[in-house]
Amino acid sequence: MDLHKLTEHKKTLLFTAIFIIVNIAGIFFISIHESNAIDKYLIEEATDTRDDFNNVLADYKHSFQIFTEMLSREIENNPDPDQIWNYLKTIDTKMLDIEGDTFDGLYMYYKGRYLYSWDTPYAEYEKTGYVATERPWYKDAAAGEGKIVFTPPYMSYANHYILSTISQLQPDKETVFAYDIKMGNIQDLIHSMNRFKGEQVILYNQNGTIIGSTTEAYLGSSFHDSIPEARARIDEAKEELAAIDENDADEIEKAKEKIASATSFYNFRESFKDNLPLLAKSNDKAHSITIDGSRYYGYLLQEDDYSFLVLIPFLSMLKATLGNWLVPLLLIELLLIYILNQISRALKNRELKEAYVELGQTQKRLQIALKAAQKEAAIDELTGMMNFSSFKKNMTKILTEMEPDDSGIFIMIDGDHFKQVNDNYGHNIGDEVIKLTAQMIVGRIRTIDIASRLHGDEFAIFVADTDDYSVAQRIMKDINQTLAKEAAKRNMPAITLSAGAVLAKQGDTYVALSKAADVALYRAKETHDGGFAHE
């Protein structure tokens, strides 16, 4: 046997063995790292959804407190029920201004009478046997013993939204204040948290009723229903349709919508199968599950009153965590090439020279690939701006490196009436408006400042080396003016940007600044016309 050929054969076997062993070990450790990153992504997504949801409920309660204070003062001055009934009708408009589109009518139980703000004659309620003290809103308020409570939400097919009642028992232990709310803000929240392609977010209460979902057809269905029970909902809805007078077009339309929703949820429930017990096992880990033949990562955050389910397609998650697995994999391959070339050097100097040239070329390609991977992981896909994760990381670095005399202005920005753009012109035009807004923001800041699209129509800017809020206000005014001009020039619908600003100093954290800026933004958005407020 030729000795040279035998040596080459052994070398090939040796290189192959090293390649396989190193890659298996590398993939094993990368998989562990990727699994931890996925857990972190899904837990943060569910936790952010929960926190924002709690903020929505807090806003509802705050508006209700304003209503109770107004009504309590009126009762103190004019205790007669007839006068209070008339007063309820007069403050309908005021509450609509305070609560916005979520508000859906006032009512109360006072001195043994049911008083309300609608024009419906009381005789209509008497016909149906309506007894206020037997209604869920009264019973829940009584059980709350003075706390502000929400009745279990339900789907109103007549109006296409989830409806709930917020109520409170008053100190006399008999009077109950209440009003209905359309929980559309929760749907807006769910859609704003949808950061991954094909992601599903489902929010349901302790009874299983879905009150928020990226798939709106699921609203009002019960996540606690088994697959046969979900199928039975379709049959029940069909029976309701069959019993409706053929001349009652409105009721027929509602029944058809109910059938379509029940069918859509049944199809999902059947494909979801028995994954819920698996996801419910722990609050600190995501799980890989299969839905309708496709692989998803799922996480379920369970609270006492509400649960938050996040489902993200496998490929979408891999893309989002590109920097977590691709960069280490590229480094492993680079290290592997280096090791193999070192071994080759010991075997033959001539092959070393060839391998050295190849290594240099490979390193260059890997550097290019590494830069591309890092850029993709840090950039918002729609606008090309810095994304939320990268912005938070950069802000944390800036705050950490600040000297005692350093300062800057942190600005949270939110679009006014952007939902109307999507509703009236469609999401494609909405995306164009978002991209135009991003261009105007980037074009109006300095190279030492940073800006980011957080999600949806929310942006953030950090203006470096200043403690003057008027600088931030001028920047926002300039952005709004140029945005309006450019939108008109391109024949696009225009939005205004409201902003809340807060001063950043040494020792501040990103979380504290974002919360303070969000409070200021809440005040700025009261006018919905490009307002500006600061801490």
Side-chain angles (χ1 to χ4, degrees):
M1 180 179 291
D2 187 87
L3 184 59
H4 176 70
K5 290 184 178 180
L6 180 62
T7 302
E8 288 296 318
H9 178 66
K10 286 184 177 180
K11 186 173 70 172
T12 300
L13 290 177
L14 177 62
F15 279 20
T16 301
I18 292 174
F19 179 83
I20 293 174
I21 292 171
V22 172
N23 273 283
I24 289 175
I27 291 173
F28 173 75
F29 287 108
I30 289 173
S31 297
I32 294 175
H33 180 64
E34 172 72 356
S35 177
N36 292 334
I38 290 172
D39 288 343
K40 181 181 178 182
Y41 265 87
L42 271 78
I43 290 172
E44 284 183 353
E45 185 82 345
T47 302
D48 288 346
T49 304
R50 178 202 60 192
D51 293 343
D52 288 346
F53 170 73
N54 287 335
N55 289 337
V56 171
L57 292 188
D59 288 343
Y60 287 152
K61 289 182 179 179
H62 178 68
S63 298
F64 185 78
Q65 286 172 334
I66 294 175
F67 162 63
T68 59
E69 289 174 6
M70 293 167 61
L71 198 52
S72 295
R73 286 198 300 268
E74 185 64 21
I75 289 175
E76 184 177 349
N77 296 328
N78 301 293
D80 181 74
D82 288 328
Q83 292 181 338
I84 296 302
W85 198 355
N86 291 331
Y87 178 72
L88 279 179
K89 299 178 185 299
T90 64
I91 64 171
D92 230 355
T93 303
K94 295 180 182 178
M95 291 308 302
L96 185 61
D97 291 338
I98 294 171
E99 192 64 74
D101 290 339
T102 61
F103 173 71
D104 199 39
L106 310 167
Y107 48 97
M108 62 186 292
Y109 182 81
Y110 175 61
K111 291 191 175 182
R113 293 178 60 180
Y114 175 54
L115 310 179
Y116 51 91
S117 63
W118 302 287
D119 293 329
T120 307
Y122 190 74
E124 295 296 322
Y125 293 98
E126 289 181 318
K127 288 179 183 178
T128 62
Y130 189 97
V131 179
T133 54
E134 295 299 319
R135 304 302 295 175
W137 59 268
Y138 185 92
K139 290 184 175 181
D140 289 346
E145 298 181 343
K147 295 181 180 179
I148 296 176
V149 298
F150 293 85
T151 58
Y154 64 92
M155 182 66 182
S156 173
Y157 289 98
N159 301 293
H160 309 284
Y161 51 68
I162 290 291
L163 190 67
S164 182
T165 300
I166 182 168
S167 59
Q168 183 184 36
L169 182 67
Q170 299 307 299
D172 64 3
K173 304 300 182 182
E174 292 182 357
T175 301
V176 170
F177 298 162
Y179 64 66
D180 291 338
I181 52 174
K182 297 175 283 188
M183 306 184 83
N185 289 356
I186 294 173
Q187 267 304 91
D188 293 340
L189 163 65
I190 293 297
H191 286 304
S192 72
M193 300 301 294
N194 191 6
R195 299 170 183 167
F196 302 87
K197 185 176 181 181
E199 177 183 1
Q200 295 190 55
V201 180
I202 298 176
L203 193 167
Y204 59 95
N205 65 9
Q206 59 186 349
N207 298 322
T209 302
I210 297 175
I211 63 174
S213 172
T214 46
T215 303
E216 294 193 2
Y218 300 164
L219 293 176
S221 299
S222 175
F223 217 97
H224 289 171
D225 279 355
S226 63
I227 295 175
E229 287 172 335
R231 182 68 183 85
R233 303 293 184 193
I234 302 175
D235 297 333
E236 292 172 4
K238 288 180 178 179
E239 290 175 4
E240 291 177 10
L241 175 61
I244 297 173
D245 187 329
E246 61 181 11
N247 295 318
D248 194 340
D250 289 341
E251 290 300 317
I252 290 174
E253 187 61 30
K254 285 190 291 184
K256 287 181 177 179
E257 182 180 344
K258 191 172 183 179
I259 292 172
S261 296
T263 302
S264 178
F265 181 72
Y266 166 72
N267 292 333
F268 168 75
R269 191 67 185 84
E270 187 177 39
S271 63
F272 192 73
K273 300 188 184 302
D274 296 323
N275 285 312
L276 197 60
L278 173 66
L279 297 178
K281 282 184 177 180
S282 65
N283 256 11
D284 59 355
K285 186 172 181 60
H287 294 275
S288 175
I289 61 176
T290 300
I291 302 176
D292 200 19
S294 299
R295 186 178 172 190
Y296 284 76
Y297 288 107
Y299 176 73
L300 178 65
L301 175 61
Q302 300 179 95
E303 303 279 316
D304 292 336
D305 297 322
Y306 300 96
S307 296
F308 306 83
L309 174 64
V310 179
L311 302 170
I312 301 177
F314 174 76
L315 292 179
S316 295
M317 179 56 74
L318 285 186
K319 182 178 179 182
T321 58
L322 196 65
N324 294 324
W325 61 269
L326 181 57
V327 173
L329 186 60
L330 291 174
L331 292 176
I332 287 174
E333 297 305 319
L334 179 61
L335 177 63
L336 183 57
I337 292 172
Y338 175 78
I339 292 173
L340 293 178
N341 277 279
Q342 286 296 99
I343 295 173
S344 179
R345 180 182 181 181
L347 298 174
K348 191 182 292 186
N349 288 334
R350 181 179 60 83
E351 293 180 359
L352 171 63
K353 293 179 181 179
E354 297 174 354
Y356 184 80
V357 173
E358 182 182 352
L359 176 61
Q361 294 173 341
T362 302
Q363 287 176 321
K364 191 170 294 185
R365 289 195 296 270
L366 288 171
Q367 288 171 352
I368 293 172
L370 179 59
K371 288 181 179 178
Q374 290 173 333
K375 181 179 180 181
E376 184 171 355
I379 298 300
D380 175 63
E381 184 176 355
L382 178 63
T383 63
M385 296 180 77
M386 188 183 297
N387 64 18
F388 169 76
S389 298
S390 182
F391 180 76
K392 183 177 181 181
K393 181 178 179 181
N394 276 271
M395 277 298 304
T396 301
K397 184 174 183 295
I398 289 171
L399 294 170
T400 302
E401 295 175 353
M402 271 188 169
E403 297 296 333
D405 294 331
D406 291 343
S407 62
I409 302 292
F410 181 89
I411 310 172
M412 293 282 281
I413 304 169
D414 187 53
D416 301 316
H417 311 298
F418 179 71
K419 182 177 183 298
Q420 295 177 9
V421 174
N422 278 334
D423 290 345
N424 295 332
Y425 299 94
H427 288 278
N428 289 336
I429 297 299
D431 286 349
E432 292 303 316
V433 171
I434 289 296
K435 288 193 281 188
L436 178 61
T437 302
Q439 293 170 11
M440 298 303 101
I441 291 174
V442 172
R444 297 311 177 282
I445 62 174
R446 303 165 299 176
T447 56
I448 62 172
D449 304 329
I450 61 173
S452 167
R453 180 191 180 209
L454 303 182
H455 50 74
D457 59 333
E458 294 184 10
F459 299 81
I461 298 174
F462 179 73
V463 185
D465 298 336
T466 182
D467 58 0
D468 187 356
Y469 284 114
S470 67
V471 173
Q473 189 167 12
R474 284 197 301 273
I475 290 174
M476 290 309 305
K477 182 179 180 180
D478 190 21
I479 291 171
N480 272 313
Q481 288 175 344
T482 54
L483 178 59
K485 291 179 182 178
E486 192 64 24
K489 186 185 300 181
R490 302 186 188 186
N491 197 25
M492 292 171 58
I495 62 171
T496 55
L497 303 175
S498 293
V502 61
L503 181 64
K505 301 285 287 183
Q506 185 188 54
D508 288 334
T509 65
Y510 177 84
V511 172
L513 288 175
S514 62
K515 286 184 178 179
D518 199 52
V519 171
L521 177 59
Y522 183 84
R523 298 199 309 272
K525 285 194 68 71
E526 290 178 354
T527 59
H528 294 282
D529 62 352
F532 180 89
H534 60 80
E535 186 181 36

